[in-house]
Amino acid sequence: MDFLPMLKRSGKLPIWLIVLCSAIAAALLLPRQTPFPYRWQSGQPWSYHTLKAPFEFEVLYSEIQVQADVQRVNAEHAPYFQLNAEVSRQQQAKFVQLLEEQARISKHDAQFDDLNRNVSTYLQFGRQLLDHVFSKGIADPQEEVLKENPGFIYVASGKEERRVPIGDVWTLTTAHDFLTDTLPYSTLRQPEFLLPIIEKVLVPNLLYSDSLTLVSKRQKLAAVRSTGASVQKRELVVERGEIVSAEISQKLDSLARRYDAPKGPEVLLGYALLALLAYGVFFAWLCMQHPRIVQSEKLLLTLPVLTLASIVMISFGNRVAAAVPLLIPLYAVPIFLKRVYDQAIGLATWAIIAFLTTLALDWGIGWAIIQLAGLAGMLAFYRDGQGWKTRCIAASLIAGLQIIAWAGAGFSDRLPDSAWTADTVLFLMMAAGISLVTFPLRHWWKARMVET
């Protein structure tokens, strides 16, 4: 079956528009943030189960303290200049070359007798001067960053940095003034011969570094936010009944901030692309294998509406409590759709819901395992013609399979501590009970769809 003509559906809602709208709606409805499900107070006992770290996280300072420190860091922030040691080496080598060249040229000039007899002394003294000047750092006075500073800069040399008032930053003019003031007091007989040679090799070696400025600010901000300590995955955070100390409260607050951290628009884009892929493959398969459904707009729209409604229920339940989504029997979807369409469409629709919500939930792998167990039980134990007694036995078997899956996911560390509780078992049993309603409702569902 060629599905390309189906995409046009002349005079009807095009398939591509249904796919696109379904993907965008799913991306908007999927839970992108799991709220921290605990409330506590310092000095009071921990009223929940024993909590272990679901993942590794840093212990952070309180928001009040962080805000004050961030203001201080911003006030003290200044541009960073890199002291380039390579410039000093290159210019000193050039100085040696120029001085030796001067000595060679003036070898027979009596005016340079002292220089010719003591070349090594002049070289040593000149290099000492250059060492001192370049170690202070020479900046370009035209550098715009020097004019836009809070009165000081940071000079970085290797792993060391120092804060330098803007008035103490050397320029070529400052270095020249230093040389003219220093050379007359040297022990050399003709120090004035060094000045023009040294001036030729003086160049700025204090260079503004945009990357170093940004990195340093990030590091300082990170230092005021984090204590430097971290809690490893599965490490004990607080035991049930334990008094919440200031240290424990700080760990809990740090963990809660990890849960509540806002996520950028790229997360929404990622969900939209994955949802577009899932819906695109599903509807392409539907066009090729079930053209009758494609031709019926009501039948066609039932599928995305059903998946989006399930996603809304899961998203809402995930905000109420971590284990509530387990109460939603997604494995009932194939039973609803089996009589209206066929079992393959029911399974495909269920797969879209399970796939998208597994991506969205923080404990997605555990969610997928539990839902797969429920689906397997539903397809294995529910048959046509069953009485209520048989259905109750089947529901119990389904709940048993899910509880086994829940235990396996929990012991293998695929569920967070918030879902690793006895309450989850009760939710799974209730979900299996609710699924009993699915079986008789399928006849009502079929009748309604036949009428339309």
Side-chain angles (χ1 to χ4, degrees), residues 155-381:
V155 175
S157 177
K159 295 183 179 181
E160 298 180 354
E161 66 177 55
R162 66 179 189 271
R163 177 170 163 168
V164 180
I166 197 66
D168 294 342
V169 177
W170 281 29
T171 63
L172 291 175
T173 301
T174 309
H176 180 271
D177 292 343
F178 170 78
L179 293 173
T180 55
D181 292 340
T182 303
L183 284 173
Y185 298 98
S186 69
T187 57
L188 301 176
R189 287 183 58 189
Q190 298 174 313
E192 65 277 4
F193 293 145
L194 288 178
L195 183 60
I197 298 176
I198 292 179
E199 286 180 336
K200 291 180 181 179
V201 300
L202 286 180
V203 295
N205 71 325
L206 200 57
L207 309 176
Y208 171 67
S209 173
D210 183 61
S211 60
L212 193 59
T213 301
L214 293 175
V215 169
S216 177
K217 186 174 183 179
R218 289 197 193 105
Q219 290 176 344
K220 290 177 181 178
L221 290 175
V224 302
R225 290 190 174 98
S226 174
T227 62
S230 62
V231 178
Q232 303 300 314
K233 184 176 181 178
R234 307 301 299 172
E235 182 180 334
L236 178 66
V237 177
V238 59
E239 291 186 286
R240 184 180 183 90
E242 183 180 359
I243 300 299
V244 179
S245 64
E247 181 181 357
I248 293 176
S249 180
Q250 193 173 42
K251 291 180 180 179
L252 292 170
D253 181 65
S254 302
L255 183 57
R257 285 153 67 180
R258 277 290 301 274
Y259 271 87
D260 297 335
K263 297 178 180 178
E266 67 276 2
V267 176
L268 179 62
L269 176 61
Y271 283 159
L273 292 175
L274 292 171
L276 185 63
L277 176 64
Y279 279 108
V281 171
F282 172 67
F283 278 98
W285 169 79
L286 203 63
C287 289
M288 292 186 290
Q289 300 296 325
H290 301 274
R292 177 184 65 85
I293 294 173
V294 176
Q295 293 303 323
S296 173
E297 197 156 279
K298 290 184 178 180
L299 286 175
L300 188 66
L301 291 176
T302 300
L303 300 174
V305 168
L306 186 61
T307 60
L308 294 174
S310 300
I311 290 172
V312 169
M313 295 170 66
I314 294 167
S315 181
F316 173 75
N318 194 48
R319 293 180 179 277
V320 175
V324 168
L326 296 173
L327 184 60
I328 303 170
L330 290 186
Y331 44 82
V333 172
I335 303 300
F336 270 110
L337 300 179
K338 180 179 179 181
R339 293 293 179 176
V340 178
Y341 304 100
D342 61 26
Q343 183 166 306
I345 294 178
L347 290 174
T349 307
W350 172 88
I352 289 179
I353 302 171
F355 170 69
L356 293 177
T357 52
T358 297
L359 292 171
L361 295 171
D362 288 343
W363 36 287
I365 295 179
W367 161 266
I369 292 172
I370 293 170
Q371 291 301 316
L372 283 171
L375 177 68
M378 178 69 74
L379 298 179
F381 301 130

Side-chain angles (χ1 to χ4, degrees), residues 39-147:
R39 298 293 179 269
W40 72 94
Q41 188 175 355
S42 295
Q44 298 297 319
W46 179 252
S47 58
Y48 303 94
H49 64 281
T50 296
L51 178 63
K52 294 183 180 179
F55 43 74
E56 182 179 351
F57 64 91
E58 289 182 304
V59 181
L60 307 175
Y61 290 112
S62 66
E63 282 292 346
I64 297 177
Q65 182 177 352
V66 167
Q67 290 176 5
D69 287 339
V70 166
Q71 291 178 356
R72 176 181 54 79
V73 169
N74 289 331
E76 294 179 354
H77 180 63
Y80 271 71
F81 283 74
Q82 184 76 43
L83 193 63
N84 194 326
E86 185 61 27
V87 171
S88 176
R89 287 191 291 269
Q90 291 175 355
Q91 297 308 109
Q92 287 197 44
K94 184 177 180 180
F95 165 74
V96 172
Q97 181 183 356
L98 290 174
L99 188 62
E100 289 178 344
E101 179 68 16
Q102 179 64 50
R104 186 182 63 79
I105 294 173
S106 59
K107 184 175 182 180
H108 302 292
D109 190 338
Q111 183 182 359
F112 294 91
D113 283 347
D114 192 64
L115 173 62
N116 293 330
R117 288 195 302 267
N118 303 287
V119 174
S120 59
T121 303
Y122 280 80
L123 282 174
Q124 182 179 1
F125 184 76
R127 296 189 66 174
Q128 288 176 351
L129 281 179
L130 288 173
D131 270 334
H132 178 76
V133 172
F134 282 124
S135 66
K136 297 287 290 185
I138 302 174
D140 184 354
Q142 301 303 317
E143 178 65 64
E144 290 296 327
V145 179
L146 285 175
K147 303 173 184 178

